[in-house]
């Protein structure tokens, strides 16, 4: 049921833009408002860069994982567990079929959540990189 909901929603269409929204372009605002000069007077440049990269990655990952888990709660309560008896025909040719049946399908959902978190980190860091080069 998780795959059906994700494939029929608009979430997958705009998934690359979502991680940049919360914190990815905050460097532009800090630079344009003059807050960056005040912040750099309080800490070193390397410390600021390290914190900025960590916070941008964390916000991007959370912006992808939180909607996924909000979707996951009702689907896991309403859906049937993924066992070999229920889905034996569909999952027969898939390479990772053994992981689909671990913990009644919840292990696969957990792995997919990790992949979405890493996807969010990647796109948030990319939006931070773009904001370094584009000053407007």
């Amino acid at each position: 049921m998780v795959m059906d909901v994700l494939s029929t929603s608009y979430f997958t269409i705009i998934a690359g833009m979502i991680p940049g929204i919360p914190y990815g372009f905050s460097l532009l605002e800090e630079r344009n408002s003059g807050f960056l000069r005040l912040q750099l007077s309080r800490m070193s440049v390397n410390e600021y860069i390290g914190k900025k990269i960590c916070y941008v990655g964390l916000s991007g990952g959370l912006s992808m994982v939180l909607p996924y888990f909000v979707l996951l709660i009702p689907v896991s309560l309403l859906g049937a567990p993924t066992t070999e008896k229920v889905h034996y025909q569909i999952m027969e040719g898939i390479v990772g079929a053994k992981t689909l049946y671990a913990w009644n399908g919840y292990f696969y959902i957990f792995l997919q959540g990790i992949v979405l978190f890493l996807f969010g980190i990647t796109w948030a860091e990319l939006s931070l990189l773009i904001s370094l080069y584009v000053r407007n």
Side-chain angles (χ1 to χ4, degrees), residues 13 25 93 109 125:
I13 296 171
F25 291 108
I109 288 171
E125 297 295 342

Side-chain angles (χ1 to χ4, degrees), residues 13-129:
I13 296 171
I14 61 170
M17 294 182 286
I18 291 172
I21 293 171
Y23 203 65
F25 291 108
S26 65
L27 183 66
L28 285 175
E29 293 176 18
E30 290 175 3
R31 185 188 298 153
N32 290 338
S33 68
F35 180 76
L36 184 60
R37 279 185 252 123
L38 295 173
Q39 194 69 19
L40 289 178
S41 67
R42 295 180 185 162
M43 63 175 66
S44 68
V45 175
N46 291 335
E47 184 181 1
Y48 174 79
I49 291 171
K51 285 183 179 183
K52 180 61 84 174
I53 289 172
C54 288
Y55 291 146
V56 166
L58 183 66
S59 71
L62 288 177
S63 69
M64 291 300 291
V65 167
L66 289 178
Y68 177 68
F69 283 123
V70 166
L71 164 80
L72 190 69
I73 292 168
V75 167
S76 64
L77 292 175
L78 298 173
T82 304
T83 59
E84 293 182 38
K85 294 177 184 176
V86 176
H87 299 288
Y88 64 92
Q89 295 172 342
I90 300 170
M91 308 302 173
E92 199 172 280
I94 294 177
V95 175
K98 298 287 185 193
T99 60
L100 289 174
Y101 303 127
W103 302 343
N104 289 333
Y106 290 111
F107 183 67
Y108 181 75
I109 288 171
F110 175 71
L111 291 177
Q112 191 174 17
I114 290 174
V115 169
L116 276 174
F117 186 78
L118 295 174
F119 178 80
I121 289 173
T122 303
W123 281 101
E125 297 295 342
L126 182 66
S127 65
L128 177 66
L129 180 68

